[in-house]
C-alpha cells in the first residue's frame, strides 16, 4: 500500500490516525483508520467530527469554527460535498451530538503535487452549535499530544473499527524517525511502546496539545500496511494556519 493511500485510511480508533480500513464505508478508496493501543475517550470532545457517507463513518475531522471542519485531503478527494455528512461532538459515531450536511470541500492545492499538503476544509451547510477547537501556534519536537479517532484497533488491514471514540497519548518526535515526510509541514508522531498509533479510519482526525489542534491524521510513517509498527505522520495544522484563515475568513 502506498504511503499516500495509507494516509487516507487512518481515521479513528485511539491515538493513531492513518488510513482507510475495511469494514468502514469510505468516501474514497482506502480511507478509514482506527487508533491501535488506545482507550475509550475519557471525556467528550465538542469539536470531534465523524465524517460520514450513507450513515457510515469514513474519516475524522475537527470543528475549527461553527461552519468549518478541518480534515485530510485524501478523505474528501473525488467526493462531492453533497455525499458527505458530519456528526459533531459525540463519542459514538452512530448517535448523539449534532448532525450537519457538507456544502463545500476545499482541498489544499499542493496535495498530490508534493510530499505534504494532505489537508482539506469541509464547509457545513449551516453553523454548528458545538464549541470548536483553535489551531495551535506551533508544534515542536517533544510536544506531548493526544490522538483521537474511530479507526481500527486491530493493526492488520481489514480489521474491525469501534463506534466508541478512542484516544492515545503520545508526542511529536524528530522528523528523521519518519520516512517520506516534509518536516516543515508535517509532524512525526511516536508510536508508544512500538505498538500503538493511528490506523485505518483515523484519517483526518485530530492530534491535540494543551487543548489546541496541532495535527491532522495523514498516513503511516514507515510505509508499513500494518498499523502502529512505526510512527505516524500528521499534517501540521500550524503550518497551514494562513491557508486555513484565508479560506475560512478566520
Amino acid at each position: 500500500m502506498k504511503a499516500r493511500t495509507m494516509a487516507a485510511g487512518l481515521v479513528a480508533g485511539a491515538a493513531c490516525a492513518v488510513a482507510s480500513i475495511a469494514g468502514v464505508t469510505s468516501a474514497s478508496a482506502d480511507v478509514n483508520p482506527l487508533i491501535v493501543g488506545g482507550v475509550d475517550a475519557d471525556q467528550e470532545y465538542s469539536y470531534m467530527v465523524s465524517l460520514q457517507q450513507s450513515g457510515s463513518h469514513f474519516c475524522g475531522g475537527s470543528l475549527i469554527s461553527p461552519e468549518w471542519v478541518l480534515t485530510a485531503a485524501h478523505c474528501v478527494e473525488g467526493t462531492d460535498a453533497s455525499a458527505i455528512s458530519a456528526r459533531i461532538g459525540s463519542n459514538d459515531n452512530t448517535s448523539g451530538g449534532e448532525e450537519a450536511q457538507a456544502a463545500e470541500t476545499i482541498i489544499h492545492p499542493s496535495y498530490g503535487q508534493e510530499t505534504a499538503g494532505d489537508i482539506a476544509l469541509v464547509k457545513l451547510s449551516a453553523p454548528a452549535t458545538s464549541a470548536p477547537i483553535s489551531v495551535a501556534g506551533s508544534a515542536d519536537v517533544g510536544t506531548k499530544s493526544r490522538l483521537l479517532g474511530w479507526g481500527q484497533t486491530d493493526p492488520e488491514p481489514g480489521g474491525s473499527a469501534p463506534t466508541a471514540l478512542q484516544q492515545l497519548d503520545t508526542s511529536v518526535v524528530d522528523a528523521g524517525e519518519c520516512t517520506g515526510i516534509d518536516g516543515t509541514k508535517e509532524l512525526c508522531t511516536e508510536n508508544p511502546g512500538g505498538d500503538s498509533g493511528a490506523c485505518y479510519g483515523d484519517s483526518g482526525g485530530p492530534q491535540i496539545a494543551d487543548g489546541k489542534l496541532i495535527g491532522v491524521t495523514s498516513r503511516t510513517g514507515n510505509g508499513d500496511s500494518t498499523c502502529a509498527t512505526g510512527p505516524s505522520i500528521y499534517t501540521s495544522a500550524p503550518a497551514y494556519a494562513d491557508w486555513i484563515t484565508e479560506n475560512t475568513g478566520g
Side-chain angles (χ1 to χ4, degrees):
M1 181 179 293
K2 295 184 292 184
R4 179 68 68 181
T5 301
M6 181 68 170
L10 289 182
V11 164
C16 38
V18 185
S20 92
I21 276 205
V24 181
T25 300
S26 61
S28 61
D30 298 326
V31 177
N32 288 314
L34 286 180
I35 293 171
V36 175
V39 298
D40 287 354
D42 62 6
Q43 59 187 284
E44 293 189 345
Y45 298 90
S46 62
Y47 50 82
M48 187 67 205
V49 177
S50 168
L51 293 179
Q52 305 191 351
Q53 188 172 20
S54 300
S56 295
H57 170 86
F58 68 87
C59 269
S62 302
L63 186 73
I64 57 170
S65 77
E67 289 185 292
W68 292 94
V69 172
L70 191 67
T71 189
H74 73 254
C75 285
V76 298
E77 180 185 28
T79 302
D80 193 274
S82 63
I84 301 172
S85 62
R87 185 177 298 279
I88 307 166
S90 176
N91 286 7
D92 185 331
N93 63 27
T94 65
S95 64
E98 59 180 311
E99 298 177 69
Q101 175 61 44
E104 177 186 5
T105 60
I106 303 175
I107 293 175
H108 195 275
S110 69
Y111 177 67
Q113 306 302 312
E114 58 181 42
T115 299
D118 190 12
I119 192 167
L121 289 160
V122 177
K123 186 176 184 179
L124 303 178
S125 60
T129 59
S130 297
I133 187 172
S134 299
V135 173
S138 63
D140 301 323
V141 172
T143 298
K144 301 297 182 183
S145 65
R146 172 168 288 182
L147 308 182
L148 299 171
W150 286 281
Q152 289 186 197
T153 52
D154 179 344
E156 296 295 334
S160 61
T163 58
L165 183 66
Q166 301 292 296
Q167 64 184 42
L168 176 68
D169 291 333
T170 181
S171 63
V172 178
V173 296
D174 188 271
E177 296 190 32
C178 284
T179 57
I181 186 173
D182 180 343
T184 66
K185 300 175 182 178
E186 298 180 309
L187 307 177
C188 184
T189 302
E190 72 165 339
N191 58 321
D195 60 1
S196 303
C199 196
Y200 300 103
D202 287 315
S203 292
Q207 179 177 15
I208 59 174
D210 295 325
K212 293 189 176 182
L213 183 66
I214 64 169
V216 176
T217 306
S218 180
R219 61 192 185 279
T220 178
N222 64 353
D224 194 337
S225 61
T226 299
C227 301
T229 60
S232 299
I233 295 175
Y234 281 70
T235 302
S236 171
Y240 290 92
D242 289 346
W243 176 79
I244 292 169
T245 299
E246 176 183 344
N247 284 279
T248 65

